[in-house]
Amino acid sequence: MSGSRTLRAELRALRPESFGADPSGARMERIRRSPNFADGVFQNPLGARQRPSGSMVEFAKIYFDKEQRVRRTPAGPIPLHPTTLADIARPPATGLRLTWLGHSTVLAEIDGRRVLFDPVWGQRCSPFPFAGPKRLHKVPAPLAALGPLDAVVISHDHYDHLDLPTIKALAATDTVFAVPLGVGAHLERWGVAPDRLRELDWQETTKIAGLSLTATPARHFCGRGLRNQQHTLWASWAVAGPEHRIYHSGDTGYFPGFQEIGAEHGPFDATMIQIGAYSEYWPDIHMTPEEGVRAHLDLQGGRAHGVLLPIHWGTFNLAPHPWAEPAEWTADAAGAAGQQVAVPRPGAPFEPAGTLPVDPWWRAVSEPLTAHWRRPAATAVPVPDPAPGDLDLAGER
């Protein structure tokens, strides 16, 4: 028996650092007690196929087709906002400012506090520095130059959301990390002190610097190593300050739970919604742009309200769709629903209550698109009728 324990310890020692660590001890006991953990794994709020569906032969033909590969990357350098650091040095006039730094990384300045979502400064979203999807644009600002952060929020442990070099750099600061249940094991291995971790199950809330951060459900999955044990949770996040509320979707497929999240934690001044890396081969775990707009409307009680910031697109090539399609389709679907959408260049701060960035900057550096998704405006995004007694979202929450 002792020999098998020794062998397991030796194998763990050989595990690449980028794989992180498996939950164990008291953390694993807490996971087992979670109402969202059953049959040895975390469960989705709605059934979700995690492996690609359909023919892998057909998928490979599409993915490796030379013409399609050209369309999945920009035709020229992606234009970055040149004065990010100077802009965020000034406090937001309205109390809420968002800076999309690429993919799902967003700096949110909310009611005098600073929250960084899913920070990824690494060059590849991969366990290895020499292989895997590589950045299509530089990070608009150095991580160290952002200044003090009140909280770092992680949605789940996939490589394009939980980045080893970035976390190790942040571990040297005194910021607090809010993460889904089980993800703390990775961070502790990478040098984050346990007393700086706030590890939450769905519907649990923590207070950080006067903000309420709630882990809310998402429809996705987890895993970093060769064995995906589903022992780390994935989450979306609702953040509330004294004056403003924001929502970050993380990665998720569409599901009815957005309505419940909005009813309990919304409406939101702004949402950051995943609208990229979708495919008919994995329809349950990522949203199309049309579904992303629908999710935003669900979160807002079924009405166009607040501002939608599209995330999870533009920075990495992770799916067969054309590079610029997520932005075009989101703008199209949001316009049909009468919903405000902000489409900043990476690094361009904006205030949801101010002038929104709406210039389609990606068109100058993308291959021509065939708008195959276009539908009549009346049916592009179904907007549900508000239930009797719903609040006027232009008024009090």
Side-chain angles (χ1 to χ4, degrees):
M1 192 65 129
S2 61
S4 63
R5 284 198 298 268
T6 301
L7 177 60
R8 284 197 296 270
E10 291 175 351
L11 290 174
R12 280 196 297 271
L14 294 173
R15 177 178 175 141
E17 186 181 26
S18 59
F19 282 9
D22 293 328
S24 61
R27 177 177 279 115
M28 193 63 214
E29 287 303 314
R30 186 181 168 203
I31 288 169
R32 291 192 180 103
R33 293 193 302 269
S34 168
N36 304 302
F37 191 80
D39 300 323
V41 296
F42 277 113
Q43 303 290 324
N44 266 300
L46 182 67
R49 293 163 291 176
Q50 297 166 16
R51 297 182 181 276
S53 60
S55 167
M56 286 294 93
V57 174
E58 291 302 316
F59 174 76
K61 287 180 181 178
I62 295 171
Y63 196 81
F64 293 105
D65 178 78
K66 185 176 181 180
E67 181 179 344
Q68 295 296 326
R69 291 177 67 183
V70 168
R71 299 179 69 203
R72 294 203 306 272
T73 56
I78 295 173
L80 306 181
H81 184 70
T83 59
T84 302
L85 294 176
D87 291 344
I88 64 174
R90 298 185 294 270
T94 63
L96 177 62
R97 181 167 60 200
L98 302 178
T99 306
W100 178 55
L101 295 159
H103 202 56
S104 295
T105 304
V106 181
L107 174 65
E109 298 168 272
I110 174 171
D111 298 338
R113 303 303 183 185
R114 305 173 82 239
V115 180
L116 185 61
F117 291 93
D118 282 357
V120 174
W121 262 255
Q123 290 304 303
R124 295 182 186 272
C125 49
S126 165
F128 309 110
F130 54 85
K134 190 176 182 180
R135 278 188 171 276
L136 300 175
H137 65 79
K138 294 180 179 179
V139 182
L143 177 62
L146 291 184
L149 301 167
D150 294 288
V152 171
V153 176
I154 304 297
S155 64
H156 63 297
D157 68 359
H158 285 160
Y159 290 97
D160 56 325
H161 297 261
L162 181 62
D163 180 54
L164 168 62
T166 304
I167 297 300
K168 294 190 77 169
L170 290 166
T173 71
D174 59 0
T175 190
V176 177
F177 293 79
V179 303
L181 187 55
V183 174
H186 299 313
L187 273 63
E188 284 188 27
R189 182 180 182 190
W190 299 335
V192 177
D195 62 358
R196 287 167 49 207
L197 286 172
R198 307 291 184 268
E199 203 164 346
L200 306 185
D201 203 345
W202 288 343
Q203 308 302 354
E204 291 183 341
T205 299
T206 187
K207 289 275 191 178
I208 301 176
L211 301 176
S212 294
L213 295 88
T214 303
T216 47
R219 191 184 183 203
H220 199 55
F221 67 111
C222 65
R224 293 180 72 86
L226 296 177
R227 294 184 305 148
N228 186 359
Q229 295 181 314
Q230 298 292 292
H231 287 173
T232 56
L233 189 59
W234 48 96
S236 57
W237 289 87
V239 178
E243 302 294 333
H244 296 91
R245 300 183 188 191
I246 56 177
Y247 172 85
H248 189 285
S249 72
D251 278 1
T252 182
Y254 180 80
F255 70 113
F258 293 116
Q259 298 176 22
E260 299 171 9
I261 294 170
E264 185 169 355
H265 302 286
F268 299 98
D269 298 282
T271 68
M272 297 155 271
I273 302 288
Q274 172 260 303
I275 53 87
Y278 49 85
S279 172
E280 62 185 12
Y281 290 94
W282 48 84
D284 299 336
I285 56 173
H286 283 287
M287 293 189 290
T288 67
E290 184 172 353
E291 290 171 326
V293 172
R294 186 182 300 123
H296 172 93
L297 297 171
D298 287 351
L299 291 161
Q300 305 291 36
R303 303 182 186 181
H305 176 73
V307 174
L308 189 164
L309 170 61
I311 61 171
H312 205 265
W313 79 281
T315 304
F316 298 106
N317 178 358
L318 301 176
H321 61 67
W323 172 74
E325 185 180 271
E328 288 285 356
W329 192 355
T330 301
D332 197 46
Q339 172 58 51
Q340 291 189 102
V341 61
V343 284
R345 290 172 173 80
F350 74 94
E351 300 189 31
T355 302
L356 299 181
V358 295
D359 175 53
W361 53 268
W362 56 86
R363 291 178 184 170
V365 292
S366 67
E367 297 292 330
L369 292 175
T370 301
H372 61 81
W373 64 83
R374 292 190 186 277
R375 302 174 185 174
T379 60
V381 180
V383 182
D385 293 330
D390 276 355
L391 294 177
D392 178 359
L393 299 182
E396 296 296 322
R397 290 191 175 95

